Amino acid sequence: MSTLIYWFRNDLRLLDSPALNKVCREATHLIPVYVLPPDAIMSRWGFARVSTQRKRYVAETLAALDAQCRELGSRLLVLQGDAATALASLVESTRADGIVCEQIAAPEEEAEVEQLRAQGIKVQYFWQSTMLDLAALPFTPRQMPDMFTQFRQKLESKGLRARAVLPRPERLPSLPDHVPAESLSLAQRLDLLGSRPEANTPLQAGTSQGLQHLDHYFADELPHTYKETRNQLSGPDYSTHFSAWLATGALSASMIVERLTQYESARGANDGTYWIWFELVWRDYFRFLHLKYGRALYLREGLRQPDSLADAQRLAVPTSGIALKLFEQWTEGKTKNALVNAGMNELAATGILSNRMRQIVASYLIYDLRIDWRAGAAWFESQLLDYDVYSNQGNWLYIAGLGTDPRGGRRMNLDKQALEHDPKGFYRKQWAQT
Ligand SMILES: Cc1cc2nc3c(=O)[nH]c(=O)nc-3n(C[C@H](O)[C@H](O)[C@H](O)COP(=O)(O)OP(=O)(O)OC[C@H]3O[C@@H](n4cnc5c(N)ncnc54)[C@H](O)[C@@H]3O)c2cc1C
């Protein structure tokens, strides 16, 4: 007889979850749980760490997951607070034998697990958020090539693509008799958060909606044209829009690659379909890079030696004075650049931003305003519906030139970008104000 807790983190699905499958085989009783961060949690830069619309998106995903758990005879328990504290008290009140969860190799998430273990709680965690299994890699994470191209080429030379997709468990072990009551139901929470604003892209939450989106995306020619359209600034299908489902874990990257492979078999592979895979390799790359470098990716100087930056290269920390003012103007879409303002307005209004606009606004913050990239990354964390700790950190570091890329940072020529990607100014006009 064993009672285990399955702690859902960024893997909010029942399908294709190696860790959940394992726990379902082993536990007599299972408590599926998610821990929401405290409502008023603030970033170190003085703004709310999670915007209302991201809270809403996560709550919608949780409601969908709860419905799936109920179909299998259980339900999702949603707690709120500091994860280690909330889970430790759940272990105590239910006399659970341990916790099983996915591994997230980012400092705060690792610290949560360490805090639980320090209290004597058994936590088993599993690496499962990449499309490739750790064991399948032709190198250990510590030996992985620093450069993305070499990393990708090594995978390609071994013919690696993605691990096989697992079915959802046939049943969830029953809940034990005494499970604490939640203070707020998901329905109440959704009511309190209000509705999400209309976005350019219809972003629904949860696995079923994600699967419907996959049906839509792979129904016709969209994958074949991805490479030509992916740098557009807005529109329903210029890119795949898989990211928010991936970030919450409602879909896994292997599920997407499975569909991509089926599509290629049925309708042919081309540059477009290859490029979708290529972008998913970036996603895996930033994840594995965390296993190699961990905390160092979160330092102000990134992977550089602390003393190696000349004064002229140092970015201002936006906690007071002019740096704070410039940073606030950036977050509010009130800079001197109309394209940047449009992007920041779209982000604040919808929680969505194209990859091209993310690069543009990040470059502007770092190279034109000379503001600390970590504050920009924190603003994205707060706003993006598809916020993903690995991809966000990795991309900011890459643009700042403080990661593994030997070519240094990625400064964008904004006039050229506007000419190329918004020649008639439609995007700037659409998002001139929110
Ligand atoms: C400064 C900055 C911050 C970013 N922060 C995030 C973030 O918090 N969460 C997030 O998911 N992505 C982030 N990205 C990566 C990228 O912008 C988004 O994944 C993409 O715009 C999501 O839209 P899509 O699903 O239509 O992507 P598509 O272009 O259709 O790509 C397909 C999938 O490939 C992956 N992918 C594509 N580009 C990248 C990339 N550069 N790095 C890693 N994975 C990629 C994503 O999983 C994406 O869903 C960031 C990029 C930048 C420049």
Side-chain angles (χ1 to χ4, degrees), residues 116-336:
L116 287 163
R117 287 181 176 156
Q119 297 175 68
I121 296 169
K122 195 172 156 208
V123 184
Q124 277 184 281
Y125 67 14
F126 297 88
W127 183 260
Q128 61 175 14
S129 78
T130 43
M131 60 182 173
L132 286 164
D133 267 336
L134 252 183
L137 292 182
F139 35 73
T140 65
R142 292 216 170 273
Q143 295 162 334
M144 81 178 257
D146 271 349
M147 282 179 63
F148 171 74
T149 306
Q150 286 171 9
F151 171 81
R152 176 179 55 78
Q153 285 169 345
K154 287 215 167 181
L155 305 185
E156 287 175 343
S157 69
K158 298 275 173 204
L160 294 174
R161 199 147 156 100
R163 65 171 171 77
V165 171
L166 290 173
R168 78 174 189 182
E170 280 172 14
R171 62 170 199 104
L172 291 178
S174 60
L175 288 165
D177 288 341
H178 302 292
V179 175
E182 284 125 316
S183 51
L184 199 63
S185 74
L186 278 170
Q188 285 169 319
R189 186 170 174 81
L190 284 166
D191 272 354
L192 283 176
L193 292 169
S195 59
R196 270 194 292 129
E198 283 290 306
N200 249 338
T201 49
L203 252 198
Q204 307 297 326
T207 304
S208 308
Q209 295 288 344
L211 291 171
Q212 277 182 34
H213 181 68
L214 289 183
D215 287 344
H216 158 74
Y217 192 77
F218 288 110
D220 209 341
E221 278 305 290
L222 291 173
H224 281 151
T225 55
Y226 170 77
K227 193 166 179 216
E228 287 108 65
T229 57
R230 74 196 170 94
N231 274 322
Q232 290 173 15
L233 305 190
S234 62
D237 287 315
Y238 66 92
S239 67
T240 67
H241 298 307
F242 294 152
S243 57
W245 282 289
L246 283 169
T248 50
L251 293 180
S252 71
S254 330
M255 286 162 71
I256 290 171
V257 177
E258 184 183 65
R259 293 296 291 267
L260 179 64
T261 308
Q262 288 165 356
Y263 180 90
E264 288 183 332
S265 306
R267 306 178 69 123
N270 75 348
D271 277 0
T273 59
Y274 171 76
W275 223 260
I276 295 173
W277 188 76
F278 179 99
E279 295 296 356
L280 289 167
V281 178
W282 269 109
R283 180 177 180 275
D284 267 22
Y285 167 76
F286 286 131
R287 287 169 145 68
F288 290 124
L289 210 57
H290 271 70
L291 286 176
K292 181 168 183 178
Y293 289 112
R295 280 178 189 282
L297 300 171
Y298 292 73
L299 300 174
R300 188 178 178 187
E301 65 277 8
L303 299 179
R304 300 271 197 92
Q305 291 303 317
D307 308 331
S308 70
L309 299 184
D311 280 349
Q313 288 176 293
R314 288 195 189 281
L315 300 173
V317 176
T319 40
S320 61
I322 181 76
L324 177 59
K325 194 166 168 219
L326 289 173
F327 180 67
E328 284 176 350
Q329 285 170 348
W330 180 79
T331 60
E332 290 164 9
K334 292 184 179 148
T335 73
K336 291 182 182 152

Side-chain angles (χ1 to χ4, degrees), residues 217 226 230 238-244 246-247 276 279-280 282-283 286 353-356 358-359 362 380 384 386-389 391-393 395-396 399:
Y217 192 77
Y226 170 77
R230 74 196 170 94
Y238 66 92
S239 67
T240 67
H241 298 307
F242 294 152
S243 57
L246 283 169
I276 295 173
E279 295 296 356
L280 289 167
W282 269 109
R283 180 177 180 275
F286 286 131
L353 200 60
S354 66
N355 183 55
R356 178 58 42 171
R358 291 181 207 207
Q359 292 172 330
F380 270 29
L384 282 171
D386 69 7
Y387 168 67
D388 172 273
V389 62
S391 295
N392 196 48
Q393 201 70 14
N395 276 287
W396 274 94
I399 292 177

